[in-house]
Amino acid sequence: MSSTKEEAPAVRVLGLWASPFVIRVLIALRLKGVEHEVLEEVVGKKSELLLRSNPVHKKIPVLLHHGKPISESLIIVQYIDEVWSSNAPAVLPADPYVRAVERFWAQYIDDKFPRGIRILKGTVDGNKDEIVEQLSTALQLLEEAFLKLSNGKHYFGGDNIGYLDIALGSHVGWVRAVEKIAGVQLLDAAKVPHLVAWADRFCAHPAVMDVLPDADRFVEYSVKYGSFFPTRSSTTK
Amino acid sequence: MDRQEEDEDRVKLFGFWASPYVYKVEWALRIKDIQSDYIEEDLENKSDQLLEYNPVHKKVPVLIYQGKPIAESEVILEFIDEAWKHCGDRILPEDPHERAMARFWVRFGKDTLSPPIWKWFTTQGQEQEAAYAAAVEQLQILEKELDGKRFFAGEKMGLVDLSLGPFSYIIPIYEEINGVKLITEEKLPSLLAWMGNFLNSSIVREHPPPMDKLKLRCQAIREAFLKNTS
């Protein structure tokens, strides 16, 4: 390619550490052992590079691969899996049916959790009791899905974390944070014991631990920037 | 293979005659030349089978493959492409970057384009005008992406075409009912041409949507919405 001395790294991520959608991308890159640079956006002020790279939605995360932008966290995760397909482990399962099941649940997770978390955080208006019930039901269904998909192993993906682990696990930081902020219990060991154990394992995984901080850091972030988040429901991740 | 195994191996599709999501799946099955059994659901009176196969959303379409259910149309489309990789045309491109772009535009259609179009169809007055403007804005983005191509995927239909395809017959119905054009030659020429290419494709002509019944249904839907808000 170019021979200038200051070449941009091949893989760059535009993001914010506290965004679960950004966290997904970082986990996938770490899992695959892909060298990358993270460009942390300034809260409340979108960079020129972000606006140029994602002109349609102007949102993070954006992956820049040799300068070509890819947006939408789950799309980026699949892209990473396909480009670095020779790097183990595989993120998406090999079997088309199991892939379909994981994609189904990933979509379900993004339909329920982001909005629910915003309401419990207090940045969007809503009925908190109703949301707690909805999220508890969602977690119950995911507990059952975990039992079926993990087949006695540690993760949704089996022996290693995969697409669905990343899709749900990336929300664990904020789920635990809103438990403290709203004084509610979501990851309740009495109701979803396998998910609670899974969440601990997930957070301790080498590809995850440095990019998914403790709940307290998310709580601090919420206190500091709570009013920053857009109040209309945003759907792009 | 005995009769029972044969039956379990049949691909089945639970659907509803008016659902564009079901049509997308049916067209995808045709692209891959997959034989399937179709089961029409009465959405006012859902079958036990449907509720068992899709307990989470209780919706159509649901594809049954070797006795196992798959729900959500976009998930089903990708599944069809992967499970029948070597049959018929590919629905998604091979290149990872192109695949990512195809998935991006599918999300765009669902999350960004559909809401204002639906709002334009189900409201009136200022709210409707605002929705119209928002819809045009999003359509202009799509127009730029299409840029005179025959289909979003190029010379042949692909994932984005299948996913956005229903707009090509739904928008004209809405335009007729609302009495105003949303997609014009003058403002959105590529999209207008694409709509024609889509509807005239052999896949769609072999299995066209029931336009007359749909118009009546859409009319009733709009009237119900306006009644509820007045």
Side-chain angles (χ1 to χ4, degrees), chain B residues 14 37 56 60 111 147 193-194 200:
Chain B
F14 286 80
D37 294 335
V56 177
V60 293
D111 294 344
D147 193 30
W194 168 79
N200 286 322

Side-chain angles (χ1 to χ4, degrees), chain A:
Chain A
M1 237 179 90
S2 87
S3 55
T4 56
K5 279 183 185 167
E6 286 170 32
E7 247 178 63
V11 181
R12 307 163 94 190
V13 180
L14 306 181
L16 277 173
W17 71 262
S19 159
F21 310 111
V22 172
I23 289 169
R24 287 172 175 174
V25 174
L26 299 179
I27 293 172
L29 288 168
R30 282 161 175 266
L31 198 60
K32 291 289 200 181
V34 176
E35 254 183 63
H36 57 279
E37 179 188 32
V38 181
L39 297 172
E40 196 79 12
E41 289 283 310
V42 171
V43 177
K45 185 176 189 290
K46 297 180 186 195
S47 70
E48 271 306 308
L49 183 57
L50 174 60
L51 297 175
R52 264 199 334 263
S53 306
N54 188 357
V56 176
H57 301 297
K58 308 174 175 56
K59 286 184 177 174
I60 50 161
V62 176
L63 183 82
L64 291 165
H65 189 201
H66 295 303
K68 276 205 238 175
I70 299 118
S71 27
E72 310 275 340
S73 65
L74 293 178
I75 293 176
I76 297 171
V77 169
Q78 290 183 90
Y79 175 83
I80 290 167
D81 195 36
E82 289 167 11
V83 170
W84 287 280
S85 55
S86 49
N87 296 19
V91 176
L92 271 288
D95 179 74
Y97 181 74
V98 186
R99 281 184 183 212
V101 173
E102 291 206 1
R103 283 177 176 141
F104 171 88
W105 286 114
Q107 203 175 293
Y108 177 81
I109 286 161
D110 278 353
D111 285 342
K112 303 282 174 203
F113 284 82
R115 184 174 166 268
I117 286 170
R118 272 181 219 122
I119 288 171
L120 291 175
K121 243 198 298 185
T123 51
V124 167
D125 279 330
N127 184 330
K128 289 190 180 171
D129 290 330
E130 217 175 83
I131 291 298
V132 170
E133 213 185 293
Q134 274 183 30
L135 291 182
S136 296
T137 303
L139 286 165
Q140 205 69 59
L141 290 174
L142 288 161
E143 167 94 355
E144 287 164 31
F146 175 79
L147 288 168
K148 281 197 200 135
L149 289 166
S150 64
N151 230 336
K153 297 196 174 163
H154 282 171
Y155 304 104
F156 285 93
D159 286 320
N160 211 331
I161 62 174
Y163 184 72
L164 190 50
D165 296 281
I166 294 172
L168 182 59
S170 53
H171 286 302
V172 167
W174 276 113
V175 165
R176 288 191 164 144
V178 298
E179 283 180 329
K180 295 184 182 211
I181 294 169
V184 297
Q185 257 229 303
L186 293 168
L187 280 167
D188 183 344
K191 292 187 184 164
V192 289
H194 295 91
L195 279 190
V196 172
W198 162 84
D200 287 337
R201 280 193 297 268
F202 180 82
C203 293
H205 189 285
V208 178
M209 51 195 252
D210 292 332
V211 295
L212 184 55
D214 284 338
D216 287 333
R217 281 208 62 198
F218 288 95
V219 175
E220 277 164 33
Y221 187 96
S222 176
V223 167
K224 190 172 180 189
Y225 297 115
S227 58
F228 159 71
F229 288 97
T231 49
R232 66 185 165 83
S233 83
S234 43
T235 49
T236 304
K237 300 119 201 168

Side-chain angles (χ1 to χ4, degrees), chain B:
Chain B
M1 223 192 293
D2 67 28
R3 278 280 297 273
Q4 185 175 9
E5 279 175 344
E6 243 175 60
D7 187 58
E8 271 164 11
D9 269 4
R10 291 282 294 179
V11 175
K12 299 185 173 79
L13 178 64
F14 286 80
F16 176 61
W17 67 268
S19 165
Y21 306 100
V22 172
Y23 266 83
K24 290 180 209 184
V25 173
E26 289 183 292
W27 288 323
L29 290 168
R30 280 167 184 271
I31 287 175
K32 294 292 198 177
D33 200 18
I34 297 162
Q35 301 303 311
S36 62
D37 294 335
Y38 177 81
I39 298 131
E40 176 73 14
E41 280 288 322
D42 174 3
L43 296 185
E44 310 276 310
N45 188 15
K46 295 174 185 179
S47 72
D48 288 337
Q49 272 208 306
L50 177 65
L51 298 177
E52 193 194 308
Y53 282 134
N54 190 2
V56 177
H57 300 299
K58 307 175 176 50
K59 285 182 178 175
V60 293
V62 179
L63 190 80
I64 311 295
Y65 177 74
Q66 294 178 349
K68 296 176 290 193
I70 300 142
E72 296 297 299
S73 62
E74 315 307 354
V75 174
I76 297 172
L77 293 181
E78 290 223 28
F79 172 78
I80 288 171
D81 199 39
E82 289 167 1
W84 286 277
K85 200 171 182 173
H86 304 292
C87 300
D89 289 329
R90 289 309 305 270
I91 293 172
L92 275 98
E94 289 289 340
D95 174 71
H97 188 260
E98 284 176 36
R99 290 165 75 83
M101 289 315 297
R103 289 169 174 147
F104 175 88
W105 290 111
V106 166
R107 285 289 309 268
F108 179 87
K110 179 179 169 207
D111 294 344
T112 312
L113 182 57
S114 279
I117 290 180
W118 179 247
K119 204 152 188 204
W120 169 61
F121 182 60
T122 54
T123 58
Q124 55 191 343
Q126 266 194 355
E127 212 183 338
Q128 188 186 41
E129 280 170 33
Y132 182 90
V136 169
E137 201 185 313
Q138 306 308 339
L139 286 165
Q140 280 167 344
I141 293 173
L142 217 53
E143 172 82 11
K144 220 172 133 191
E145 170 59 23
L146 187 55
D147 193 30
K149 285 183 289 184
R150 184 172 172 71
F151 293 108
F152 283 92
E155 277 307 300
K156 285 187 183 171
M157 253 198 262
L159 183 73
V160 179
D161 302 284
L162 281 173
S163 197
L164 302 180
F167 283 124
S168 62
Y169 63 86
I170 286 172
I171 288 178
I173 291 177
Y174 290 178
E175 287 173 336
E176 203 181 304
I177 293 171
N178 281 353
V180 62
K181 288 264 176 221
L182 183 61
I183 299 190
T184 58
E185 170 73 49
E186 151 193 55
K187 293 207 174 124
L188 300 160
S190 289
L191 276 176
L192 190 64
W194 168 79
M195 284 163 63
N197 294 338
F198 185 82
L199 291 174
N200 286 322
S201 67
S202 56
I203 293 294
V204 176
R205 274 186 307 160
E206 276 169 31
H207 185 58
M211 294 299 284
D212 293 335
K213 270 176 89 174
L214 278 171
K215 274 181 210 163
L216 289 172
R217 180 181 168 83
C218 287
Q219 186 89 58
I221 288 172
R222 178 168 166 80
E223 279 162 24
F225 267 93
L226 296 185
K227 205 166 164 191
N228 275 342
T229 52
S230 54

